[in-house]
């Protein structure tokens, strides 16, 4: 379980607001992580191709 940043009440991971105090909770974005993984995979693939040719 996650906790509210202001009052410390328990929240579900998908909650966008605290039920106790109404504070908007930040949401973790996954888009940047996926983009980084694709970039690293591309660089590894390019390195492998350069080594094999």
């Amino acid at each position: 379980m996650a906790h509210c940043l202001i009052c410390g009440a328990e929240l579900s991971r998908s909650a966008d607001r605290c039920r106790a105090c109404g504070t908007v909770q930040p949401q973790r974005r996954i888009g940047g992580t996926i983009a980084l993984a694709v970039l690293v995979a591309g660089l590894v693939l390019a390195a492998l191709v350069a080594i094999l040719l």
Side-chain angles (χ1 to χ4, degrees), residues 28-51:
R28 184 175 181 155
R29 296 186 181 181
I30 195 163
T33 304
I34 292 173
L36 180 61
V38 169
L39 178 65
V40 169
L43 290 173
V44 168
L45 183 62
L48 287 174
V49 168
I51 290 171

Side-chain angles (χ1 to χ4, degrees), residues 1-3 23 25 31 36:
M1 294 299 275
H3 296 288
T23 303
Q25 302 297 308
L36 180 61

Side-chain angles (χ1 to χ4, degrees), residues 1-20:
M1 294 299 275
H3 296 288
C4 175
L5 297 174
I6 302 300
C7 71
E10 285 190 6
L11 304 170
S12 68
R13 295 257 180 221
S14 62
D16 60 341
R17 289 186 178 270
C18 176
R19 289 187 181 196

